[in-house]
Amino acid sequence: FADRDGLIWMDGQMVPWREAKVHVLTHTLHYGMGVFEGVRAYRTPDRGTCIFRLKEHTDRLFRSAHILGMAMPFDKATLNEAQRAVVRENGLAEGYLRPMCFFGSEGMGLRADNLQTHVMVAAWEWPSYMDPEASERGIKVRTSSFTRHHVNITMCKAKANGNYINSMLALREALDSGAEEALLLDNEGYVAEGSGENVFIVRDDRIYTPDLTSCLDGITRNTVFALAAELGYQVHERRITRDEVYIADEAFFTGTAAEVVPIRMLDGRQVGSGARGPITTRLQAMYFDSVRGNRPQNREWLTPVA
Ligand code: PMP
């Protein structure tokens, strides 16, 4: 992945992809204290390539850094410009963006009082996170044996690098068991989220999702709230049990990378009809129309890169 052409924004400058390097004593590499975002850019019919909800992603990046106590060396406007620039200067019509803030190699140890925050933004083509057919067919999910973070162990409101050890363990276990994604429960046993997605269920024409206690405040989740409201649905945020997912009429995951993906099976049990349900179908279509600039009412969510 490192050996390719292109440009990466690092600490205020564009550097050739192959030269965007750090030292092995980079602090974040050792202890996992860093924050990042996953953002997507899509081609639109009339405004060229646009970044979807750029402001909200940058705001969350800053909130994550604030939670971890990492001083940000750049302001939001600079990072928004950097994100537009990496898409534009790499000539991407559509792509995935990865801004990250990390501690450098200025020092070692847990005191972390002699470190600088560095910032990078890369972008690349990443068409479909799941199997391309997954968005239509739905995916098989397995409840994880790994518990999602407790709110007082790692900070769940921060999209922090180290938090993703838990996600990777859960996803690996799910994949090894023949499923495509993991469903993680919180430390009390209630449904929290996927390894990199928020989760929703539909039952008796009502839409539910776990409250934000131990899941990430997803931007796709927030987008789905707005789209559901247009359809006349208020999304109810409350505790959900795994067996409520088993008996749901529909269930789906949301995330920037995964977009809106139906869940057709959980723990070997068919969810609803075992296919993409009608409400999932509508919300997914509205989501794709929003990100691709085909819904005039959601234009403010799009930032052109040019
Ligand atoms: N939960 C976790 C653990 C995630 O990593 C992500 C992806 N950022 C999400 C939920 C979904 O968040 P978003 O819709 O902002 O991508």
Side-chain angles (χ1 to χ4, degrees):
F1 209 51
D3 185 20
R4 50 188 277 175
D5 294 335
L7 295 167
I8 292 178
W9 189 94
M10 269 183 98
D11 287 337
Q13 282 173 19
M14 286 295 179
V15 284
W17 196 283
R18 292 179 184 82
E19 288 162 35
K21 290 182 178 171
V22 294
H23 195 269
V24 288
L25 293 179
T26 296
H27 198 277
T28 299
L29 199 54
H30 293 250
Y31 304 117
M33 179 85 123
V35 296
F36 69 99
E37 271 304 318
V39 190
R40 270 192 191 274
Y42 294 89
R43 194 199 316 255
T44 69
D46 54 341
R47 291 197 290 162
T49 297
C50 290
I51 299 177
F52 188 65
R53 304 204 72 178
L54 173 62
K55 177 184 179 299
E56 289 82 356
H57 282 283
T58 303
D59 286 348
R60 187 171 65 187
L61 184 71
F62 275 72
R63 290 200 301 272
S64 297
H66 177 73
I67 290 169
L68 297 197
M70 297 178 76
M72 276 290 227
F74 298 99
D75 61 16
K76 288 181 182 177
T78 305
L79 289 193
N80 286 338
E81 274 316 300
Q83 290 173 82
R84 294 176 65 218
V86 288
V87 175
R88 194 174 57 234
E89 294 190 28
N90 285 293
L92 294 170
E94 300 211 337
Y96 181 84
L97 290 84
R98 169 53 52 80
M100 180 177 70
C101 307
F102 59 98
F103 283 142
S105 49
E106 298 83 12
M108 249 320 131
L110 300 182
R111 280 175 193 274
D113 52 3
N114 51 357
L115 303 171
Q116 278 168 29
T117 310
H118 298 266
V119 186
M120 54 75 56
V121 188
W124 59 88
E125 272 179 40
W126 199 2
S128 184
Y129 177 68
M130 304 271 176
D131 174 333
E133 286 164 29
S135 73
E136 211 182 306
R137 176 175 47 73
I139 58 169
K140 288 199 286 188
V141 179
R142 191 93 209 171
T143 303
S144 188
S145 73
F146 296 97
T147 300
R148 194 60 180 153
H149 298 295
H150 178 262
V151 290
N152 207 27
I153 295 180
T154 54
M155 301 293 102
C156 303
K157 298 280 175 290
K159 192 167 164 65
N161 294 39
N163 290 1
Y164 285 82
I165 297 173
N166 176 255
S167 291
M168 291 175 68
L169 290 170
L171 181 59
R172 168 58 42 214
E173 179 190 56
L175 295 173
D176 286 346
S177 78
E180 287 148 285
E181 182 53 279
L183 181 68
L184 289 110
L185 309 180
D186 67 18
N187 64 302
E188 291 184 88
Y190 295 94
V191 170
E193 59 186 337
S195 67
E197 303 86 16
N198 291 111
V199 64
F200 289 73
I201 62 170
V202 179
R203 187 151 190 238
D204 294 335
D205 207 35
R206 285 160 80 94
I207 308 175
Y208 303 96
T209 193
D211 67 59
L212 288 176
T213 309
S214 63
C215 64
L216 190 73
D217 188 353
I219 291 160
T220 319
R221 177 184 186 275
N222 175 276
T223 303
V224 164
F225 276 44
L227 299 175
E230 272 189 56
L231 294 179
Y233 292 98
Q234 188 208 333
V235 178
H236 301 278
E237 298 177 82
R238 64 156 174 84
R239 297 209 288 197
I240 293 172
T241 59
R242 66 193 276 184
D243 54 5
E244 279 188 277
V245 186
Y246 295 160
I247 59 171
D249 300 326
E250 303 178 34
F252 58 92
F253 278 131
T254 64
T256 299
E259 300 168 318
V260 176
V261 183
I263 297 171
R264 67 182 162 97
M265 198 173 256
L266 176 62
D267 302 339
R269 290 150 177 93
Q270 182 175 302
V271 176
S273 67
R276 181 173 61 186
I279 293 177
T280 308
T281 303
R282 288 170 81 187
L283 290 170
Q284 189 189 51
M286 289 169 87
Y287 184 74
F288 285 127
D289 282 343
S290 300
V291 298
R292 295 220 155 78
N294 293 320
R295 282 174 61 80
Q297 56 274 61
N298 303 136
R299 277 174 78 85
E300 78 282 5
W301 285 341
L302 297 168
T303 305
V305 302

